[in-house]
Amino acid sequence: MDTKIPSQITFDDFREFCNSAKLKPTHQRFEIYRELNSATDHPSAEMLYQRVKTNVPSVSLETVYRTLATFEQHGIIVRINAFGDRARFDANLTVHQHLACTNCLAICDFTWTAFEKLELPAQTGNWGRIESQQVVVKGLCNSCLEKESSA
Amino acid sequence: MDTKIPSQITFDDFREFCNSAKLKPTHQRFEIYRELNSATDHPSAEMLYQRVKTNVPSVSLETVYRTLATFEQHGIIVRINAFGDRARFDANLTVHQHLACTNCLAICDFTWTAFEKLELPAQTGNWGRIESQQVVVKGLCNSCLEKESSA
DNA sequence: CTAGTTGCAAATCCTTTGCGCCAGT
DNA sequence: ACTGGCGCAAAGGATTTGCAACTAG
């Protein structure tokens, strides 16, 4: 993957990406990408489905799943397995890490420059070919901490 | 891959743990814990079930799930969500990170001292209370790389 | 027209739960 | 005996798939 996607894309931009990826630039794909790209909460397939439905009432959850899988294979989105129950997705391809609340399951981004500068220990090179590395920091977000203390 | 980490809890510890946690030290629980504790491949519930069955043929998969959940709640094992499809488990409580092969789904440990010395960026303190942080490094293990090149 | 996509329904797969029986203290 | 745990069967919930209709190029 290589095609650079600006943060706000038009249907024409999307069409261009689809052409280079040999994908049909359908209405559904465009809306799913646009919705994910404008989200900051790392939605699940179901969450995304609900949002896309407001613009494309006829869209199906299966299409959302299939489209997300396609996008992931083409490297324009990333799947986040912070929690075991459902996959979460992210269209932000810049290097960043995630904070995940184990109570409300909110996920948010943060940058960790010191980490990004680190090199993997040499031994990992003997294991195979590294393709990605990701930190997930878990805890309780402020809002859940408040609820906890007032309970 | 390498880095043998010898500090896993012993059976006396486990017995003691059951007492202090007010859990009945049943045959099943002992065997499930022992099997996980001696594994280095971060088995899933199903994998563990197959192994425990050789010693306790009557054990059920549901008991494995329930027992793992109990152990996790009591903090003597850790759940790993490296892949979205199934949870993997680890009885090694020492600080370490994971290498995960996206092809064969093997997971192995490695230590990353430089990472462990790092402090989280200050901004994360404003988010809430941090409870854990974990790196997952993904790629293709050597064995899968070989298969790929000979295919 | 033609191949790739979609929606629908059904299937899969992992995991959890209700319940009566069994086991450990 | 009491209480919690177990196995069984069934349910639940996320995700995938077969298929016929549809649509973009």
Side-chain angles (χ1 to χ4, degrees):
Chain A
M1 69 117 312
D2 28 77
T3 320
K4 197 163 193 170
I5 306 281
S7 22
Q8 291 298 333
I9 72 169
T10 64
F11 193 89
D12 285 336
D13 293 331
F14 186 72
R15 186 185 298 265
E16 194 176 320
F17 156 73
C18 284
N19 287 336
S20 68
K22 290 171 186 143
L23 293 175
K24 283 193 181 175
T26 65
H27 188 202
Q28 289 93 330
R29 283 180 173 157
F30 177 68
E31 288 301 321
I32 291 169
Y33 183 79
R34 197 166 63 83
E35 204 64 62
L36 180 58
N37 194 51
S38 65
T40 59
D41 59 346
H42 311 81
S44 65
E46 174 71 37
M47 292 157 79
L48 217 36
Y49 166 62
Q50 296 299 339
R51 296 173 197 180
V52 170
K53 230 180 7 176
T54 67
N55 293 322
V56 190
S58 67
V59 76
S60 74
L61 178 57
E62 294 77 22
T63 295
V64 174
Y65 274 109
R66 263 189 287 233
T67 301
L68 290 170
T70 303
F71 287 170
E72 185 193 12
Q73 283 159 18
H74 287 268
I76 62 165
I77 71 169
V78 170
R79 180 184 302 258
I80 306 168
N81 293 317
F83 304 109
D85 61 335
R86 70 231 297 158
R88 306 281 288 266
F89 297 88
D90 196 345
N92 177 0
L93 300 179
T94 62
V95 177
H96 66 280
Q97 317 306 326
H98 293 121
L99 282 163
C101 177
T102 52
N103 184 246
C104 66
L105 309 186
I107 298 178
C108 72
D109 293 340
F110 75 100
T111 53
W112 192 357
T113 314
F115 169 74
E116 288 154 18
K117 284 180 184 161
L118 239 46
E119 279 187 25
L120 280 166
Q123 6 151 358
T124 59
N126 303 327
W127 172 82
R129 180 184 352 136
I130 305 304
E131 286 173 348
S132 72
Q133 61 191 67
Q134 170 91 56
V135 183
V136 175
V137 178
K138 293 192 183 181
L140 284 178
C141 69
N142 282 328
S143 137
C144 286
L145 280 176
E146 281 174 30
K147 284 172 200 151
E148 186 186 64
S149 61
S150 67
Chain B
M1 53 188 189
D2 48 313
T3 5
K4 260 279 107 352
I5 297 141
S7 64
Q8 316 202 334
I9 78 178
T10 66
F11 282 99
D12 288 337
D13 292 334
F14 182 72
R15 214 174 265 282
E16 198 175 314
F17 152 76
C18 283
N19 290 333
S20 67
K22 291 172 183 132
L23 294 175
K24 286 189 181 175
T26 66
H27 188 202
Q28 288 93 330
R29 283 180 173 157
F30 275 113
E31 288 301 320
I32 291 169
Y33 184 79
R34 174 159 64 187
E35 205 61 63
L36 180 58
N37 195 48
S38 66
T40 60
D41 61 346
H42 312 80
S44 64
E46 175 71 37
M47 291 158 80
L48 218 35
Y49 166 62
Q50 296 298 340
R51 296 174 198 179
V52 170
K53 229 177 14 172
T54 67
N55 293 323
V56 190
S58 67
V59 75
S60 74
L61 178 57
E62 294 77 20
T63 295
V64 175
Y65 274 109
R66 263 188 285 236
T67 302
L68 290 170
T70 302
F71 287 170
E72 186 193 13
Q73 283 158 18
H74 286 85
I76 63 163
I77 71 168
V78 170
R79 181 183 301 257
I80 305 169
N81 293 317
F83 303 109
D85 61 337
R86 62 193 56 186
R88 305 282 288 264
F89 298 89
D90 196 345
N92 177 359
L93 299 180
T94 62
V95 176
H96 66 280
Q97 316 306 325
H98 293 123
L99 281 163
C101 177
T102 52
N103 185 246
C104 66
L105 310 187
I107 298 178
C108 72
D109 293 339
F110 76 101
T111 53
W112 192 357
T113 314
F115 169 73
E116 289 153 18
K117 285 181 184 160
L118 238 46
E119 280 187 24
L120 281 166
Q123 37 166 160
T124 59
N126 302 326
W127 172 82
R129 182 172 68 213
I130 306 304
E131 287 173 346
S132 72
Q133 61 191 68
Q134 171 91 57
V135 183
V136 175
V137 178
K138 293 193 182 179
L140 284 178
C141 69
N142 281 329
S143 138
C144 286
L145 280 175
E146 281 173 30
K147 283 173 200 148
E148 186 186 66
S149 61
S150 67

